[in-house]
Amino acid sequence: MIPEIVLWLIFFIPLGSFLIIAGVIRPFFNRYAFAAGYLTIAAMASALVISIIALASVINEHAGIEYAAHRWLDIGPMNITIGITLDALTGIMLVVVTAVSLMVQIYSTAYMKGDKGYARYYAYMSLFTMSMIGLVLASSVIQIFVFWELVGLCSYLLIGFWYHKPSAAAAAKKAFIVTRIGDFGLLLGILYLFFNQDTLAASGLNSLIVADVNTAAAAGIITSGVATWLAVGIFAGAVGKSAQIPLHTWLPDAMEGPTPVSALIHAATMVAAGVFLVARFFPLFEASKEAMAAVAIIGGVTALFAATIGLVQNDIKRVLAYSTISQLGYMMLALGVGAYGAAIFHLFTHAFFKGLLFLGSGSVSHASGGTFDMRYMGGLRKIMPWTYVTFLIGSLALAGIFPLSGFWSKDEILAHAWGNGDTVSRTVFWLGLIAAFMTAFYMFRALFMTFEGEFRGGAAKDPNAEAHDEGETHPHESPWAMVGPLVVLALAAGAIGFIVNPTTSLGIVPIHWFTEFVSGHLHHETPEFNIPVALISSVLALAGIVLAYGMYGVKRSAIVSPADMGRWFRPLYQLFLNKYWFDEFYEKLLVKRVFYRGLAQGLDWSDKYLVDGLVRVIDRVGKGTGRVVSHLQNGQLQGYGLGISVGIVLIFGIYLAIR
């Protein structure tokens, strides 16, 4: 059993890295800013080693390890505690966060080389990783909320890292505001638990301890109706952080940050936090059929919705951004249909191949002078063989091609959805199946546009490209500090699904070791490997690859011209290209018309004419009354005496009348 103090080191080591960089290196030794990178890498490597030990401890114990909570604050009868949760979910998430973060930090030493904010960048990255680790380890609802907001703050700082660019500043502000909308729902759920703590306290449970909330939900102490509202509030926070429809618009704009930041956000931290939150409160969600149905439907719709937009994007990072939204939809879909283990399995595999793909996009941008527009790339396969091979592995894994990692986790989700048999599960199954075809198409469209054909000039030909220190004017393979992490992540993306999900001696039917390990405490039955579902999804994925090759992979002339395809399906093409006009709807209708011209101007009018008007009326009444009374104050004693006499007579008369 791993001591608690050792687990706390996973949190405090990145925190120490942040404090040293922000408090010592950056203000006093900025000329040695390169040390910030090495310090962060050392911190992440140390945290990864301890995380692996923690995961091994959970595996050996065959269950979660309990640690006593520490008293922090007493508010009346309410005890607010802090502590650590170490179970299968925590162990897996710790390894994912620290492993991907370590690869990103190594990659960043070359990608961010020469940037004026080099030390600041690594300070933010240390704080970002520390915040996500704190969220994963948290045992209380209050801890979760604190680190949840810290993750949002760090994403704001890193998305707007190049704050001198108006687009980066706007994207950071947008991410912060949109995710706050979802966080309001999470806060309402926490407040409900706080003000209704007597219900759980009667059963000896603390309403602010996550395990106690889940225990109460499973035991029926929290009724189905209450569980629905609590789950909806928690899910609102997850919708914001994990960019589910309709709060998805911030994530594509978050590409304005440095590419390693995008890799960390999309693979292991910010967006994974929403899926983690729902998984952490999964027994509460299970207590409400309505909440489970909502999670499944929103996840399924998001998976298909984002995939359609990814079909037509020309910015390689935006293709990957919409891919992330779609895959997060897959995870939510899985949680909604009860496939808890499959959802975490997909979160686990997705972290490696999505981190690989984002770092690969940074590598090709580095080779193309700083542009991310695929229309100005091309012909990079021979120039960048390492980047090409690793990007190909990541694309195959994301497409769900056997035997790469995405195949095992994606098909387990689909098999579970199909096996449930109810209307909601069958509906989201078909949505996920269509999204699988689209995923394969848009990823290999990106691969062929980027690596096949002839080089089309890079940033020198891109009218929208900005001068960037990270790239050069001629294409070239990236330095080994960038290629090394790509190779490591490619190996993980290729083999990790098979390693943690081994097959029987016949090599045909998988043993769902990972799923059973993760969801064992929920006593779920893991469905058998569904060969027909796996075959159908694989055939659709291969069909998507073939279609992408026919349109973009043929050297001389495409079998199916993209221009012809766009013309034949012009209404759909415009719909996808304009992202369903969600941004226009939010910015032009909701923000400008409803908020500014409606609500804000209405409040301005009421402030001017109602509030200020009432004040002016009171002022005038007071002045008028004062003028009338002032005429009675003339200084004549005879008048005062007469007034007193009349007053006495009136009082006496009233007294007689009442008596």
Side-chain angles (χ1 to χ4, degrees), residues 285-610:
F285 281 81
E286 279 194 308
S288 169
K289 293 182 179 179
E290 294 80 6
M292 292 289 281
V295 173
I297 292 170
I298 290 177
V301 170
T302 302
L304 181 59
F305 164 83
T308 60
I309 300 177
L311 296 174
V312 298
Q313 297 298 306
N314 293 313
D315 186 304
I316 189 171
K317 285 178 69 176
R318 286 186 179 270
V319 172
L320 296 175
Y322 283 107
S323 169
T324 298
I325 297 173
S326 180
Q327 296 305 306
L328 291 167
Y330 253 103
M331 299 171 205
M332 291 297 186
L333 179 162
L335 290 168
V337 300
Y340 174 88
I344 304 307
F345 189 16
H346 197 55
L347 175 63
F348 179 70
T349 59
H350 176 266
F352 296 105
F353 58 69
K354 187 51 62 70
L356 164 64
L357 290 169
F358 264 104
L359 296 183
S361 72
S363 181
V364 296
S365 171
H366 187 274
S368 304
T371 183
F372 288 98
D373 195 322
M374 297 182 294
R375 293 171 295 183
Y376 301 99
M377 295 181 184
L380 298 178
R381 177 168 57 88
K382 296 180 180 179
I383 301 170
M384 309 178 69
W386 286 99
T387 300
Y388 169 72
V389 171
T390 55
F391 199 92
L392 174 62
I393 293 172
S395 299
L396 289 168
L398 177 55
I401 302 301
F402 177 86
L404 303 180
S405 59
F407 168 81
W408 303 104
S409 55
K410 179 198 68 176
D411 282 355
E412 197 159 319
I413 292 172
L414 294 175
H416 203 117
W418 180 259
N420 277 4
D422 59 272
T423 303
V424 171
S425 297
R426 288 289 170 89
T427 300
V428 298
F429 166 81
W430 291 111
L431 294 176
L433 206 58
I434 298 169
F437 166 77
M438 293 182 175
T439 300
F441 174 81
Y442 65 63
M443 278 314 305
F444 277 83
R445 171 182 177 265
L447 183 83
F448 294 138
M449 289 182 69
T450 302
F451 292 97
E452 300 297 337
E454 301 296 330
F455 185 63
R456 294 184 287 275
K461 297 290 185 179
D462 184 0
N464 297 315
E466 299 180 14
H468 208 294
D469 294 335
E470 65 189 272
E472 299 178 12
T473 56
H474 61 279
H476 58 286
E477 182 61 276
S478 298
W480 275 105
M482 294 170 66
V483 171
L486 294 179
V487 173
V488 173
L489 290 172
L491 292 173
I496 200 71
F498 187 82
I499 291 172
V500 303
N501 197 27
T503 60
T504 62
S505 58
L506 296 176
I508 299 174
V509 182
I511 300 172
H512 296 269
W513 174 84
F514 187 96
T515 304
E516 292 174 356
F517 166 66
V518 172
S519 58
H521 68 290
L522 298 172
H523 308 294
H524 287 176
E525 290 186 8
T526 304
E528 294 183 1
F529 185 72
N530 193 317
I531 295 178
V533 169
L535 288 175
I536 293 171
S537 65
S538 297
V539 168
L540 284 175
L542 290 172
I545 295 172
V546 170
L547 180 59
Y549 178 79
M551 293 178 64
Y552 299 95
V554 180
K555 291 184 178 180
R556 294 185 178 274
S557 61
I559 296 173
V560 182
S561 168
D564 289 341
M565 189 72 80
R567 186 170 60 255
W568 295 339
F569 299 98
R570 185 169 182 79
L572 286 176
Y573 175 76
Q574 290 297 326
L575 182 68
F576 301 160
L577 187 64
N578 289 284
K579 299 165 287 187
Y580 294 78
W581 291 281
F582 261 92
D583 285 307
E584 290 78 4
F585 172 73
Y586 286 152
E587 294 174 12
K588 294 182 180 179
L589 181 62
L590 289 185
V591 175
K592 291 185 179 179
R593 292 183 180 274
V594 175
F595 183 77
Y596 284 133
R597 296 182 185 176
L599 180 62
Q601 289 186 359
L603 291 174
D604 180 65
W605 181 89
S606 66
D607 185 61
K608 287 181 179 178
Y609 297 102
L610 296 182

Side-chain angles (χ1 to χ4, degrees), residues 86-108:
L86 181 58
D87 55 11
L89 177 62
T90 303
I92 290 164
M93 288 297 298
L94 286 174
V95 171
V96 166
V97 173
T98 54
V100 174
S101 181
L102 176 60
M103 294 300 103
V104 168
Q105 310 315 331
I106 295 172
Y107 180 97
S108 299

